[in-house]
Amino acid sequence: MGRPLSRLRCIDCGRDYPLDEIRYECDACSALLEVAHDFDRLQEARDGPAWRRLFDTRLGETSGTARSGVWRYHELVLPDLPSGHVVTKPEGNTNLYPSERLQEISRTRDVRIKHEGENPTLSFKDRGMSAGVSWARHLGVQQVACASTGDTSAAMAAYAAQVEGMRGVVVLPKDKVSMEQLSQPIASGCLTVSLPTDFDACIRLLRDVCRRHSIYLLNSVNPVRIEGQKSIAYETVQQLNWEPPDWMVVPVGNAGNISAIGKGLADLKTLGIIDRLPRLLGAQPEAAAPLARAHQEGYREHVRVKAGDTVATAIRIGDPVSYDKAVRAVRASNGAFISSSEQEIMDAKALVDRTGLYICPNSATAVAGFLKAREQGMIASGERVVIVATAHGCKFSQATIDYHGARLPGIAPRFANRVVEIAADAGAIERLLVPGVPGFSLRKDGE
Ligand SMILES: *Cc1c(COP(=O)(O)O)cnc(C)c1O
Ligand SMILES: [Zn+2]
């Protein structure tokens, strides 16, 4: 094998380590690590237009790893990973939907939703896990683990299940993930552990155990996962014919995803694939908004909060692991963090859901953040905006049902679509549907 194309590098002191060493922080200063590719060699290999052509050619693949929306960009994700070690379903290739409804109500020229809920386990986490589990397999790791607000564990479990001899362990905060999410690692055969605490405590405990034993931690503190998640940015820009949008809006919990998207966009610019960077807007619920507060305070100090209850359970995180990476990515893009109330989040969700896209409350936090940023004038009417929907609404069915049934405490649903209960006879259905029938009464809630 030749000289490796990637190393692990400390984001603070710059010290570097071989990528095939299992480590999650810098020995010298304890800061986070990132995967650093040798961009000189990647630039020598091809110029920007040639990279674009290569990735466009692969869009036609019907078999093999290049069919995946992660591994289509293999050279920019994990160039040292042999194709034969890739663990894929395949993932990615999610739709980028124009949203006329959002354009109309926000009076914005071009608004699109990148629906990552269309991934195999119904969230964007599949992209990072495909990279993380592939690398684990490459290293010959036998035990992989993660703490999760629900979607990370669903993805890890489903990818680990594809590798012979690999055992998955997931640690979940009790009663803080949805039933659908809980069912996923159980179904995939993972050891599923429930702790009577919150996510922040779960990850702290698990990180400690993984540091002391040879268990491969697949939370987003693992920089290899970030490499897979970068592909959201690559794919979005490719779907826009390599014309980057003005803004990308992303819901933020542990802040790995927004860091990854920022890193992916920077890769494209470095390689001459795009010539300018979109601005990043990170969206949080008011109940768990350390980064929105930090932004407001000019990033003077590192903000940690105790996360409160929110419908956006996947981003109910008060002490984001990738805080420093996210702040750097957002500031480098001249972006911002913003927060929204529970009411704003659920109304935004209903608005988008009604157009036939079914998104989750976490994704809706990004929609609400976009609407607010537009109202404040941060985003201008002529700009092109991509909102990243991170998971499918079907993973959070209870929140949807409770909203439309007006059963969410403190929320008066503006767009409720109530279930109509009537007697089990044809007459009752006719009275509901057919104008002119005696007793006709068409109920239209929320119009
Ligand atoms: C994990 C997750 C997020 C947050 O991503 P981070 O990388 O933790 O910021 C947002 N939405 C959904 C649905 C998720 O599963
Ligand atoms: Zn360091």
Side-chain angles (χ1 to χ4, degrees):
M1 237 182 74
R3 189 158 46 95
L5 272 149
S6 320
R7 292 181 65 81
L8 290 170
R9 185 175 62 200
C10 171
I11 67 164
D12 267 351
C13 74
R15 179 164 171 189
D16 66 6
Y17 308 87
L19 184 59
D20 55 11
E21 273 182 21
I22 296 181
R23 59 172 68 243
Y24 316 103
E25 57 201 35
C26 178
D27 271 354
C29 74
S30 307
L32 294 172
L33 302 175
E34 63 181 358
V35 175
H37 298 328
D38 185 340
F39 273 97
D40 289 341
R41 278 160 73 197
L42 291 174
Q43 277 165 326
E44 270 165 36
R46 280 178 196 83
D47 63 6
W51 281 114
R52 290 200 292 261
R53 277 196 303 277
L54 175 70
F55 299 140
D56 284 344
T57 311
R58 290 180 183 162
L59 284 176
E61 300 280 346
T62 53
S63 66
T65 55
R67 186 163 63 108
S68 149
V70 172
W71 302 104
R72 181 185 313 135
Y73 315 99
H74 193 142
E75 292 87 344
L76 311 190
V77 173
L78 289 173
D80 296 321
L81 178 77
S83 306
H85 290 181
V86 165
V87 184
T88 178
K89 291 197 173 291
E91 47 293 313
N93 295 310
T94 58
N95 283 298
L96 181 64
Y97 296 98
S99 177
E100 281 175 29
R101 188 86 183 91
L102 288 180
Q103 283 166 199
E104 236 169 70
I105 63 167
S106 67
R107 295 178 313 283
T108 311
R109 177 162 73 106
D110 191 332
V111 183
R112 297 172 201 238
I113 296 178
K114 175 75 172 151
H115 202 340
E116 287 293 299
E118 296 175 344
N119 271 292
T121 77
L122 308 183
S123 90
F124 78 90
K125 299 289 199 308
D126 291 344
R127 293 179 185 266
M129 277 307 168
S130 182
V133 171
S134 296
W135 195 249
R137 175 189 187 185
H138 178 64
L139 297 178
V141 165
Q142 265 154 26
Q143 199 151 219
V144 294
C146 68
S148 177
T149 55
D151 291 329
T152 302
S153 49
M156 192 195 78
Y159 282 85
Q162 278 176 258
V163 183
E164 181 135 352
M166 187 179 286
R167 176 169 127 118
V169 183
V170 306
V171 178
L172 304 171
K174 186 168 159 56
D175 298 329
K176 293 193 175 70
V177 306
S178 75
M179 279 297 134
E180 295 88 346
Q181 289 174 318
L182 175 61
S183 74
Q184 290 179 295
I186 297 175
S188 302
C190 247
L191 173 61
T192 306
V193 184
S194 170
L195 302 187
T197 181
D198 62 4
F199 171 80
D200 291 304
C202 288
I203 174 90
R204 224 169 23 246
L205 293 168
L206 185 65
R207 244 178 116 162
D208 192 44
V209 173
C210 289
R211 206 177 282 136
R212 285 186 282 117
H213 305 277
S214 64
I215 303 168
Y216 195 54
L217 181 64
L218 276 174
N219 278 97
S220 55
V221 64
N222 184 324
V224 172
R225 259 191 61 202
I226 302 287
E227 293 307 292
Q229 283 172 209
K230 292 190 308 190
S231 62
I232 296 178
Y234 303 155
E235 195 175 277
T236 299
V237 175
Q238 186 173 20
Q239 284 170 312
L240 293 170
N241 226 343
W242 304 109
E243 240 339 286
D246 297 298
W247 286 90
M248 285 188 76
V249 188
V250 188
V252 173
N254 238 339
N257 199 28
I258 195 163
S259 309
I261 289 172
K263 192 167 189 267
L265 292 167
D267 292 350
L268 296 180
K269 180 128 186 296
T270 305
L271 292 172
I273 296 171
I274 58 174
D275 56 13
R276 61 183 176 81
L277 291 177
R279 297 169 73 182
L280 297 176
L281 178 63
Q284 300 194 294
E286 282 169 7
L291 286 156
R293 206 177 95 199
H295 177 75
Q296 243 172 6
E297 296 172 355
Y299 303 104
R300 278 194 306 278
E301 48 194 271
H302 190 119
V303 179
R304 291 179 181 84
V305 302
K306 174 90 188 154
D309 274 337
T310 171
V311 285
T313 50
I315 50 177
R316 186 186 190 280
I317 294 172
D319 185 10
V321 167
S322 295
Y323 186 103
D324 294 331
K325 286 185 181 177
V327 167
R328 277 171 214 204
V330 166
R331 296 188 81 177
S333 80
N334 189 25
F337 292 97
I338 202 163
S339 65
S340 302
S341 69
E342 299 294 292
Q343 175 88 46
E344 290 166 333
I345 292 168
M346 287 310 287
D347 283 336
K349 170 170 149 55
L351 255 175
V352 171
D353 286 352
R354 279 202 164 200
T355 66
L357 297 183
Y358 190 10
I359 63 171
C360 72
N362 316 289
S363 310
T365 306
V367 179
F370 156 70
L371 291 171
K372 188 170 282 186
R374 182 67 194 94
E375 219 170 87
Q376 293 174 355
M378 187 196 298
I379 298 178
S381 63
E383 293 193 296
R384 295 162 66 237
V385 180
V386 170
I387 300 170
V388 178
T390 43
H392 200 281
C394 278
K395 283 193 146 193
F396 300 83
S397 59
Q398 199 62 50
T400 305
I401 291 167
D402 287 347
Y403 172 86
H404 289 285
R407 280 188 303 272
L408 284 177
I411 295 181
R414 281 175 61 205
F415 308 105
N417 179 23
R418 281 188 195 241
V419 176
V420 182
E421 292 196 28
I422 55 174
D425 71 72
I429 299 175
E430 279 171 350
R431 280 193 296 283
L432 196 65
L433 300 184
V434 187
V437 166
F440 170 73
S441 67
L442 185 57
R443 281 188 45 188
K444 274 195 124 184
D445 281 342
E447 292 284 47

